[in-house]
């Protein structure tokens, strides 16, 4: 049973924008840490952004700071990732995930996956130059 469902991926040219959505159940969403991760071909899955649901903490990988924004809609149990000024190196499969408790800072490495127990199936983002 898939408990997190992502949508919004697609193909854009460099400089374009996309907004990803991730909807989950209330029990998974509430008072937990929601995160976005990405996996490029041949590379490990790495952290992109996290948000503490019900709190004010958000954090981003250095590679996306100033371009990506994570936000929440608590009424819909949904977290978004607004991606602006997209670059070809942003290409990859983007995954939403949830973990119990608080968020840690994002390092942009595979270690960011620690503690995230629930994962979506991913949505593909392709940025062409």
């Amino acid at each position: 049973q898939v408990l997190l469902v992502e949508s919004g991926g697609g193909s854009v040219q460099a400089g374009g924008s996309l907004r990803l959505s991730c909807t989950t159940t209330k029990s998974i969403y509430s008072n937990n840490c929601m995160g976005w991760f990405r996996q490029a071909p041949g590379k490990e899955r790495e952290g992109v952004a996290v948000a503490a649901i019900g709190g004010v903490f958000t954090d981003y990988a250095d590679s996306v700071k100033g371009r990506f924004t994570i936000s929440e809609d608590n009424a819909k149990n949904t977290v978004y990732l607004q991606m602006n000024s997209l670059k070809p190196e942003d290409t990859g499969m983007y995954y939403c995930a949830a973990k119990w408790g608080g968020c840690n800072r994002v390092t942009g490495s595979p270690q960011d996956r620690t503690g995230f127990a629930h994962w979506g199936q991913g949505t593909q983002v392709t940025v062409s130059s």
Side-chain angles (χ1 to χ4, degrees):
Q1 181 183 7
V2 178
L3 299 177
L4 295 92
V5 179
E6 303 100 332
S7 62
S11 296
V12 297
Q13 290 190 325
S17 298
L18 286 171
R19 188 178 81 154
L20 307 183
S21 300
C22 171
T23 300
T24 185
T25 64
K26 185 174 179 62
S27 63
I28 288 178
Y29 181 84
S30 300
N31 300 313
N32 288 321
C33 178
M34 298 291 293
W36 284 99
F37 297 76
R38 67 185 179 190
Q39 187 167 13
K43 295 188 176 182
E44 292 190 73
R45 198 173 302 182
E46 63 185 25
V48 174
V50 296
I53 303 303
V56 297
F57 178 81
T58 60
D59 199 30
Y60 302 87
D62 287 344
S63 59
V64 307
K65 281 181 180 176
R67 300 188 297 122
F68 291 12
T69 302
I70 189 170
S71 62
E72 314 145 29
D73 185 334
N74 296 331
K76 297 180 179 179
N77 301 328
T78 298
V79 63
Y80 302 97
L81 186 68
Q82 177 67 44
M83 305 186 296
N84 298 327
S85 302
L86 282 162
K87 304 175 180 180
E89 51 263 44
D90 294 318
T91 293
M93 186 71 78
Y94 282 69
Y95 297 89
C96 176
K99 71 171 184 176
W100 307 113
C103 295
N104 297 319
R105 290 216 170 267
V106 179
T107 65
S109 73
Q111 283 67 38
D112 293 330
R113 295 179 293 178
T114 301
F116 283 87
H118 301 284
W119 291 85
Q121 293 184 317
T123 184
Q124 178 67 37
V125 171
T126 303
V127 185
S128 58
S129 58

